[in-house]
Amino acid sequence: MEINELTPAEARVWRAFARGEHVDFRPDPDDDPADGGSWGAERTVRAGVLRALLLDGPRENGEVPSLTLAGARITGSLDLQYATVDHPVRLRHCHFEETPRFYGGRLRELNLSESVLPGLVSHAVRVDGVLRMTRARFHGMVRLAGAEIAGSLYLESARIDAPDAEGPVLQLNQAAVGADLWAPGLRTRGTVRLTGASVAGTVNLREAVLEAPGGTVLEAPYLTVGASVSATCLRSRGRMDFRGARVAGALDLSGASLSRPGGTALQITSAVIGELWLFDGERVEGALRLRRARLDSLRLDPAMVPDEVYLSDLTYTALVPHHPAARRLPMLERDGDGYVPHSYEQLTAAYRRIGDDDAARLVQLAKLRRHRRTLRWHGRLWGRLQDVAVGYGFRPLRAGAWLLSLLAVGSLTYGLHRPEALKPSESPEFNPVFYTLDLLLPIISFGQETAFAPRGGYQWLAYVLVLMGWILASTVIAGVTRAVSRQ
């Protein structure tokens, strides 16, 4: 392309390229590129001219060429598919009439910050430096599937709104980012796909707003993050899916608002995460699925736990902050998988690690009561007796209280209505207290029970005392055995 074929605006860009100079067509720094469709020829640059510059532009000895342009209206399609561009490409505050295409290309650096674009096609692109799209606005899909970015990907405060998109509005599946995925304040309408992506550093989604009502806002199965995922104060209207994800640090959802009524709001099944933080936010609307997840630390505020949870095979080493067992147990009661013994054992272990044995015993008692509801009638009856008598072994003083009560009833009754002696000449002196103890304690004999025989209703009372003695002895033995086996 010859310079005499260029418009004055294009000639200015052409001359600046060789020296790496910045060309800014904006009359005002606050100029909005959304109005770029009305910009005149003095600010219009054809995409073909930019392509020619990047692939075979002029050079000057001792200068580093670069395309650094701001405030331009770019007409036509900037097509650099499979191209190798050795110069930085910085197209800020620009208005693109057609979708740029970098599919399979290799770039040194790409900066589209503050620009307005109808979309971006950059599957399998390779960027040796950083890819910046800070505060960029897209009205179509951003396709970066399989991209390789040696540095960071910047999407802070970017907006992607593609109401007619037939797929995810932001595609980063199988992408590899060598540093950070930096996207605080990102706003999307549609699905963000990170399936199988790898981020060596941090994923920053603080105060992002992701909306896909009734659908999936973040699709991140098998995402690998070398550091942490920071999503504090994130607002999600749709499903967030982290199935099989690997996060070395924390998945921080503190202060987040997660909502997908009637469906799954947050899914972290089969994931391996250093720490999961869910606190200081609104109560989750929708199901919380943590099946088979492996966490070193779970920081969970009971106030954020929704009505529907799935916790089967969830494991964690620490559970913080410390709350009484009464605040943690309702979450296990609401498990959509029903009675899951493993969940109670995990909560028990967490309390024991911090030395709260009382809370651990309460969890075990709740576990046995929940298990009782799964038994047949006779199992439920026997369980109820153990619970009432000694609290399944966790309330051993109850047995003493029952014995003392029955001892008082029997001693008073038989003290007022002495039973007849079977052999008056051989019988010991009657003692109502020891007679009642003989009835209540099946393995101890004071010689009173065999020497005296009550009649009528008092004989039925003796039967009741003997029966209650056996029940109390059996429940105490069962409770002690269970307690010893847990130790």
Side-chain angles (χ1 to χ4, degrees):
M1 181 172 290
E2 300 295 334
I3 194 168
N4 57 7
E5 299 174 353
L6 306 177
T7 65
E10 293 169 344
R12 181 182 170 186
V13 175
W14 191 275
R15 288 189 296 267
F17 173 82
R19 298 187 295 273
E21 294 178 349
H22 180 213
V23 177
D24 190 348
F25 288 117
R26 293 177 297 165
D28 186 328
D30 296 328
D31 200 26
D32 188 354
D35 301 326
S38 62
W39 294 345
E42 73 284 358
R43 301 180 61 176
T44 299
V45 179
R46 289 171 291 171
V49 174
L50 301 181
R51 184 178 188 276
L53 270 177
L54 293 171
L55 298 181
D56 192 25
R59 306 287 191 275
E60 286 191 14
N61 292 333
E63 301 291 345
V64 178
S66 69
L67 178 58
T68 307
L69 177 60
R73 174 191 175 197
I74 300 174
T75 60
S77 175
L78 180 57
D79 190 346
L80 291 168
Q81 296 186 102
Y82 303 107
T84 297
V85 178
D86 295 325
H87 322 295
V89 180
R90 306 184 185 103
L91 301 170
R92 300 183 61 190
H93 302 280
C94 292
H95 179 94
F96 288 78
E97 291 195 343
E98 296 186 28
T99 300
R101 298 181 177 274
F102 303 107
Y103 180 93
R106 179 169 182 175
L107 309 174
R108 174 166 292 184
E109 175 190 336
L110 180 60
N111 190 338
L112 299 173
S113 297
E114 291 93 13
S115 293
V116 174
L117 306 93
L120 180 65
V121 176
S122 294
H123 298 81
V125 70
R126 180 173 178 181
V127 181
D128 295 332
V130 299
L131 174 53
R132 292 184 182 273
M133 295 185 285
T134 300
R135 292 182 292 279
R137 285 170 281 176
F138 297 91
H139 302 295
M141 292 188 290
V142 177
R143 302 178 179 179
L144 288 162
E148 294 182 32
I149 303 169
S152 295
L153 170 59
Y154 293 94
L155 281 163
E156 62 263 48
S157 300
R159 296 189 178 188
I160 306 174
D161 190 351
D164 300 325
E166 296 181 357
V169 296
L170 175 57
Q171 300 176 14
L172 281 163
N173 43 301
Q174 310 303 326
V177 180
D180 300 328
L181 171 52
W182 205 256
L186 172 69
R187 299 177 67 95
T188 61
R189 287 187 60 84
T191 301
V192 175
R193 178 174 288 172
L194 287 166
T195 305
S198 173
V199 180
T202 297
V203 175
N204 188 331
L205 290 169
R206 284 185 304 219
E207 299 182 351
V209 178
L210 311 179
E211 297 181 334
T216 299
V217 293
L218 182 61
E219 190 177 286
Y222 313 109
L223 168 69
T224 300
V225 181
S228 298
V229 177
S230 176
T232 56
C233 301
L234 173 139
R235 183 170 179 248
S236 167
R237 295 297 176 263
R239 183 177 68 160
M240 296 186 68
D241 185 357
F242 288 96
R243 285 174 297 147
R246 299 291 185 270
V247 181
L251 172 53
D252 183 359
L253 290 163
S254 57
S257 172
L258 311 178
S259 175
R260 190 173 183 248
T264 298
L266 179 61
Q267 180 162 338
I268 312 181
T269 54
S270 302
V272 178
I273 299 172
E275 300 180 22
L276 174 60
W277 295 1
L278 265 172
F279 65 96
D280 288 345
E282 300 175 9
R283 190 166 188 259
V284 176
E285 294 185 57
L288 173 62
R289 297 179 182 269
L290 299 176
R291 289 185 182 131
R292 300 178 300 280
R294 300 290 181 267
L295 312 172
D296 290 334
S297 176
L298 175 58
R299 184 168 185 178
L300 179 62
D301 182 355
M304 285 191 69
V305 178
D307 290 334
E308 186 178 1
V309 296
Y310 297 87
L311 307 172
S312 178
D313 292 324
L314 165 67
T315 61
Y316 47 87
T317 303
L319 179 61
V320 292
H322 181 267
H323 284 285
R327 291 205 66 198
R328 296 289 189 190
L329 285 169
M331 176 176 69
L332 307 188
E333 290 286 333
R334 297 197 290 267
D335 196 327
D337 291 322
Y339 169 60
V340 181
H342 180 267
S343 299
Y344 289 88
E345 293 301 326
Q346 279 291 297
L347 186 54
T348 299
Y351 278 122
R352 283 178 176 161
R353 287 190 192 98
I354 61 174
D356 193 344
D357 292 331
D358 288 339
R361 285 191 288 270
L362 285 174
V363 175
Q364 284 294 301
L365 180 58
K367 172 190 171 186
L368 293 167
R369 288 172 173 168
R370 180 78 184 277
H371 176 251
R372 185 174 71 213
R373 300 204 297 266
T374 68
L375 303 176
R376 299 182 67 179
W377 71 268
H378 50 81
R380 293 196 301 273
L381 178 60
W382 176 240
R384 175 71 68 177
L385 286 173
Q386 292 188 73
D387 193 0
V388 171
V390 291
Y392 286 102
F394 295 102
R395 300 286 187 268
L397 293 180
R398 283 187 184 178
W402 278 105
L403 285 172
L404 289 174
S405 300
L406 294 171
L407 178 61
V409 170
S411 299
L412 181 61
T413 302
Y414 292 118
L416 296 174
H417 303 278
R418 176 176 173 170
E420 295 181 4
L422 295 175
K423 297 180 179 181
S425 60
E426 301 176 7
S427 298
E429 182 179 351
F430 179 75
N431 186 308
V433 175
F434 284 95
Y435 179 75
T436 305
L437 284 174
D438 252 353
L439 296 173
L440 286 172
L441 303 178
I443 59 175
I444 298 177
S445 176
F446 295 101
Q448 295 278 317
E449 180 185 2
T450 57
F452 299 92
R455 297 182 182 279
Y458 302 106
Q459 186 175 17
W460 283 104
L461 175 60
Y463 294 154
V464 170
L465 292 174
V466 171
L467 179 62
M468 290 301 297
W470 277 106
I471 291 175
L472 284 171
S474 300
T475 54
V476 168
I477 292 170
V480 170
T481 302
R482 188 180 295 112
V484 171
S485 66
R486 281 191 296 272
Q487 299 301 323

